[in-house]
Amino acid sequence: PFWIMVLFLLYSSLGFFAVPYFVKKEISQIVSNNYNSNIDIEKLSFNPYRLTTNIKKVTLTDKDQQLWFSADTVHVNFSLIKTIFNNTHISEITLDNPHYHLLLTQKNGLANLRYPQITPANNDNSEPIKLDIENININQGSVSYLDQTSDKILKLSFKKVGFKNIDFSTD
């Protein structure tokens, strides 16, 4: 019983305290390296018993500090059983009050998406992230669209959008 209690306390403390630190650090590195952006997260929490992650007040800015994505909360629920036998499986992603600023600019006569500026992997041996996602829920979000190539401006607000995916994978 003593060692079971020690293992339980170790698992709990690592899950609740260490995992958020390392996840936040890894997310910051991925966003910086792959999307040429900075991420600011007010609070990241992880529940090791339910395998859920909650992120509060997330913002993404480009290198010029221009905000291009924000959300009040992001909730991710992992499925351990399906992940063990396949790709990383996410049973649900919920975004509360997300905003995406879509900006098209003119460069060399072509329209280019300004955010995010995706950096191709420098290493040909790198393996892309493989995710299977079941449900995506978006609550009260908005998208603003500015096309500088034709002076089009659009702001779209929505109350709730849900996607139930069957066999969706980034593989």
Side-chain angles (χ1 to χ4, degrees):
F2 172 76
W3 289 110
I4 291 173
M5 185 58 108
V6 168
L7 289 174
F8 174 77
L9 291 173
L10 182 64
Y11 178 77
S12 297
S13 61
L14 288 175
F16 284 110
F17 301 110
V19 169
Y21 171 78
F22 289 110
V23 168
K24 192 173 183 179
K25 186 176 176 182
E26 186 67 22
I27 289 173
S28 295
Q29 188 175 17
I30 289 170
V31 168
S32 178
N33 292 344
N34 297 332
Y35 300 106
N36 294 312
S37 297
N38 299 314
I39 189 167
D40 185 37
I41 297 172
E42 183 177 290
K43 182 179 180 187
L44 188 141
S45 60
F46 178 75
N47 184 327
Y49 301 109
R50 299 187 71 212
L51 295 179
T52 59
T53 300
N54 288 306
I55 303 172
K56 297 208 184 277
K57 300 287 184 194
V58 60
T59 58
L60 287 157
T61 55
D62 71 352
K63 297 298 182 187
D64 298 325
Q65 298 303 312
Q66 178 66 42
L67 178 69
W68 64 269
F69 177 82
S70 65
D72 289 347
T73 59
V74 177
H75 172 80
V76 180
N77 188 1
F78 297 95
S79 176
L80 180 63
I81 300 299
K82 292 180 181 177
T83 298
I84 289 172
F85 298 110
N86 212 344
N87 298 335
T88 301
H89 188 89
I90 297 174
S91 58
E92 179 183 5
I93 297 176
T94 301
L95 299 158
D96 291 325
N97 198 25
H99 175 76
Y100 178 62
H101 181 69
L102 181 64
L103 175 63
L104 289 178
T105 59
Q106 184 103 16
K107 186 174 181 181
N108 299 331
L110 299 172
N112 293 311
L113 181 64
R114 178 155 179 202
Y115 316 114
Q117 294 177 352
I118 299 172
T119 304
N122 295 335
N123 186 354
D124 291 335
N125 298 332
S126 65
E127 182 84 15
I129 297 173
K130 296 178 182 178
L131 297 173
D132 296 331
I133 303 171
E134 270 184 54
N135 296 308
I136 300 172
N137 300 306
I138 302 170
N139 301 317
Q140 294 193 326
S142 62
V143 175
S144 57
Y145 171 75
L146 173 61
D147 185 349
Q148 292 180 336
T149 64
S150 63
D151 295 330
K152 292 181 184 175
I153 299 173
L154 174 71
K155 174 125 181 172
L156 174 67
S157 297
F158 47 88
K159 291 185 180 183
K160 187 167 186 156
V161 177
F163 302 98
K164 180 155 179 67
N165 305 305
I166 299 172
D167 295 331
F168 173 80
S169 177
T170 59
D171 191 5

